[in-house]
Amino acid sequence: FTQNFNTNTSMGRLTLNILLSFAQFEREMISERTRDKMSAAKKKGRFIGGRPALGYTIDRLGHKLITDPDEAKLVKEIFELYIEKRSLIEVTKILNSRGHKTKSYTSAKGLKYGGKDFQNTSVNRILRNILYTGKVRYQNEIYNAQHEGFIPSEIFEKVQTILDKNQLNPNRRERVRGKGLLSQILRCEECNCAMIYM
């Protein structure tokens, strides 16, 4: 506000409070409209921003995801390896031994992200990402996406079944090898996986 109010008087305090209430109301209305627009875009399967997943690049003019053939090949390899090995730790070790890196991305502001060694949490995030089937998840609902998927639904579902089974049975021998003293206590905020040492 540019106008001065005498808050020593009841009228001045009332006027200031009314103006503050309207400002708060306007902020909340803008937030609600923004959320509604984002919700509508998600339900239409549109990409609404953020960093692209491994396997995709961003078409900044069309505001959509485009398949990156080389990265898509790596994502397919990750799914195939997990079906074969049935272990996040084993898949992570193989990927790093072959020199693969996580998604490397430069933002519009020139900030660089990714391009690091894989961790079991980053592998898990890829395997859980329904984006690769050509769909998007929003508020526990699945919608058809506007981008092209390259992982068949049956492969994706098979991987989810194995992941869920492994989560329910955490004491399998090959999984115990990577467990540390606090692995049942420390968990990843993003995917709820137990922390392990590599």
Side-chain angles (χ1 to χ4, degrees):
F1 305 123
T2 55
Q3 189 175 348
N4 291 323
F5 293 97
N6 183 3
T7 54
N8 292 323
T9 66
S10 56
M11 182 58 74
R13 287 193 295 273
L14 174 64
T15 306
L16 183 61
N17 285 332
I18 290 170
L19 289 172
L20 288 171
S21 295
F22 272 105
Q24 177 68 19
F25 172 73
E26 188 178 6
R27 280 196 300 272
E28 288 177 3
M29 285 297 292
I30 291 168
S31 294
E32 282 178 21
R33 281 197 293 267
T34 302
R35 279 195 300 272
D36 288 344
K37 283 185 75 175
M38 289 177 70
S39 175
K42 273 279 190 181
K43 288 176 181 178
K44 289 178 182 176
R46 292 179 58 194
F47 176 71
I48 59 170
R51 300 179 206 170
L54 182 71
Y56 293 100
T57 56
I58 300 173
D59 174 7
R60 296 191 189 279
L61 294 175
H63 300 288
K64 61 180 181 180
L65 295 174
I66 301 172
T67 304
D68 181 306
D70 292 332
E71 290 184 5
K73 188 179 175 183
L74 175 57
V75 172
K76 289 174 185 176
E77 183 182 341
I78 291 170
F79 273 81
E80 288 165 5
L81 277 171
Y82 187 73
I83 289 172
E84 180 190 341
K85 302 296 182 182
R86 295 173 176 253
S87 165
L88 290 172
I89 298 168
E90 291 302 317
V91 173
T92 303
K93 285 179 181 176
I94 292 168
L95 291 172
N96 289 331
S97 70
R98 293 177 181 176
H100 294 306
K101 300 291 179 184
T102 59
K103 174 75 177 180
S104 182
Y105 172 67
T106 304
S107 70
K109 293 182 179 179
L111 298 173
K112 294 186 177 181
Y113 301 96
K116 299 176 181 177
D117 287 346
F118 279 94
Q119 301 291 331
N120 70 310
T121 50
S122 54
V123 173
N124 184 72
R125 201 155 42 243
I126 289 167
L127 295 172
R128 290 285 192 187
N129 197 343
I130 201 167
L131 199 78
Y132 298 122
T133 65
K135 297 183 184 297
V136 292
R137 181 180 280 111
Y138 179 68
Q139 292 184 345
N140 295 323
E141 295 289 331
I142 306 295
Y143 301 96
N144 289 324
Q146 293 184 359
H147 67 267
E148 184 185 345
F150 51 81
I151 297 293
S153 295
E154 57 271 19
I155 296 293
F156 184 80
E157 290 305 324
K158 186 175 183 179
V159 165
Q160 303 318 298
T161 302
I162 300 168
L163 284 167
D164 291 341
K165 206 174 284 184
N166 283 348
Q167 214 168 9
L168 290 170
N169 186 18
N171 295 318
R172 280 175 45 203
R173 227 160 127 197
E174 61 268 31
R175 291 168 63 82
V176 171
R177 279 183 309 182
K179 288 194 175 292
L181 201 58
L182 301 176
S183 61
Q184 295 303 312
I185 300 169
L186 298 176
R187 302 193 78 81
C188 173
E189 270 185 24
E190 205 159 324
C191 65
N192 198 34
C193 281
M195 295 291 190
I196 62 156
Y197 59 86
M198 296 298 293

